Amino acid sequence: MTETLVSAPAAPAVFDAEKFRQTTRAQWENTAEAWNRWGPLLARWLGPATEAMLDMAAVGPGARVLDVAAGAGEQTLVAARRVGARGHVLATDISPAILRHARAAAEQAGLANVDTRELDGERHDLLPGASFDAAISRVGLIYFPDQQRALAGIRHALKPGGRFAAVVYATAERNPFFALPVGIIRRRAQLPPPLPGQPGPFSLGAEGVLAKALEQAGFRDVAVRKVDSPVRLPSAAECVRFERESFGALHQMMAGLSEGERADTWEEIEQTLLRFETGADGFVGPCEMLVGAGTR
């Protein structure tokens, strides 16, 4: 199984970072409602990795926390409860639509210590310097076109001694629930392989890559932890429904296919994912996350 890029419909001869950002923003604008609706699954699936991320970022009572690429804010609320009334969490994301869900979730939970701000993940240099005790990013850093620029901005926003922690996917081989559908779509849509250095779900998953990225950005005391994160659902069909509704990038990849071809592709994906379905436990999709952290 080869690593694959899923956030652009095709790999051009020269990678266009600005077009990539625009596509990414449009994807999340379109899937914001579904991503929010699947929040309970995200909490179960990514819960252990989220707790590891918060632990490794030293998020505790009274801390000021920056949540980068916060999405619908499920992990934002977990952080807000950790820091308590004396602390504060700023959730940023490139998509205003998905941030509306984060704001609504915080209000519904009665958490007055959460604010949101529309902000590109590479532009945290626009925030006041040395203003946060900790920064986190759950499955966001992998999709930034210039990961070093993103890390530099996050480091700028952290106080000296502040910690940053990020959750990313391990390799494609360790995440077949996602990588197999991507491979099927890429083959059917006749998409070329991603160019070296392009962002994508597995761009930081290889051994040592995440640690090297953090160290290159100037973080010290870098540590990386593996977290087994199986996707548990009643059936393979339900996993396909989750991916079909929430993973806008998959639809972007199929943009060149006819309606019938798209239907056939989803059918092949479901048949392929049946290998992870058992009678006793339902669907258990193999997934491994990495949590990397470092000190400013």
Side-chain angles (χ1 to χ4, degrees), residues 149-196:
R149 185 183 184 192
L151 289 169
I154 293 167
R155 190 172 180 274
H156 157 84
L158 280 173
K159 298 176 182 178
R163 294 279 289 176
F164 169 61
V167 177
V168 307
Y169 289 103
T171 60
E173 289 78 10
R174 303 294 294 174
N175 291 278
F177 91 99
F178 191 10
L180 287 171
V182 167
I184 290 169
I185 295 171
R186 186 169 293 283
R187 169 173 51 79
R188 282 178 168 265
Q190 299 182 15
L191 300 178
L195 296 171

Side-chain angles (χ1 to χ4, degrees), residues 21-289:
R21 292 186 187 93
Q22 293 173 1
T23 300
T24 299
R25 185 178 189 275
Q27 288 169 1
W28 286 112
E29 289 287 278
N30 291 334
T31 59
E33 186 279 329
W35 192 255
N36 179 66
R37 182 162 27 88
W38 284 95
L41 169 61
L42 297 174
R44 294 193 304 272
W45 166 33
L46 296 175
T50 299
E51 292 296 332
M53 174 181 69
L54 296 175
D55 288 344
M56 294 174 73
V59 173
R64 287 181 53 81
V65 180
L66 172 63
D67 187 358
V68 177
E74 188 273 325
Q75 75 291 332
T76 306
L77 272 58
V78 179
R81 293 187 179 100
R82 275 205 183 199
V83 302
R86 293 185 298 106
H88 180 262
V89 182
L90 175 64
T92 68
D93 200 279
I94 198 172
S95 164
I98 209 163
L99 283 177
R100 285 195 288 272
H101 291 290
R103 284 196 298 272
E107 291 170 1
Q108 186 175 2
L111 294 169
N113 59 346
V114 174
D115 284 325
T116 62
R117 176 171 172 177
E118 179 186 345
L119 194 61
D120 187 296
E122 296 177 13
R123 294 312 314 270
H124 288 85
D125 58 312
L126 297 175
L127 297 177
S131 54
F132 292 91
D133 301 293
I136 58 175
S137 184
R138 191 175 76 175
V139 198
L141 182 61
I142 49 179
Y143 292 114
F144 298 154
D146 190 336
Q147 293 168 352
Q148 282 301 307
R149 185 183 184 192
L151 289 169
I154 293 167
R155 190 172 180 274
H156 157 84
L158 280 173
K159 298 176 182 178
R163 294 279 289 176
F164 169 61
V167 177
V168 307
Y169 289 103
T171 60
E173 289 78 10
R174 303 294 294 174
N175 291 278
F177 91 99
F178 191 10
L180 287 171
V182 167
I184 290 169
I185 295 171
R186 186 169 293 283
R187 169 173 51 79
R188 282 178 168 265
Q190 299 182 15
L191 300 178
L195 296 171
Q198 281 188 260
F202 314 116
S203 58
L204 293 170
E207 189 69 29
V209 173
L210 178 56
K212 182 178 179 181
L214 292 171
E215 290 166 353
Q216 184 180 342
F219 288 96
R220 54 188 175 82
D221 303 324
V222 171
V224 177
R225 183 185 305 176
K226 296 178 181 179
V227 181
D228 189 35
S229 305
V231 181
R232 301 181 185 275
L233 284 163
S235 65
E238 190 71 354
C239 182
V240 171
R241 187 165 78 89
F242 168 52
E243 295 183 355
R244 191 167 184 168
E245 291 181 3
S246 304
F247 291 17
L250 300 183
H251 290 280
Q252 289 290 331
M253 291 180 69
M254 288 193 276
L257 299 179
S258 68
E259 183 176 347
E261 288 170 332
R262 290 195 294 271
D264 289 344
T265 300
W266 286 116
E267 176 62 27
E268 182 180 350
I269 289 171
E270 182 174 338
Q271 292 302 312
T272 300
L273 292 182
L274 280 173
R275 70 184 67 179
F276 303 123
E277 186 177 309
T278 66
D281 299 321
F283 177 86
V284 183
C287 171
E288 182 179 271
M289 293 293 187

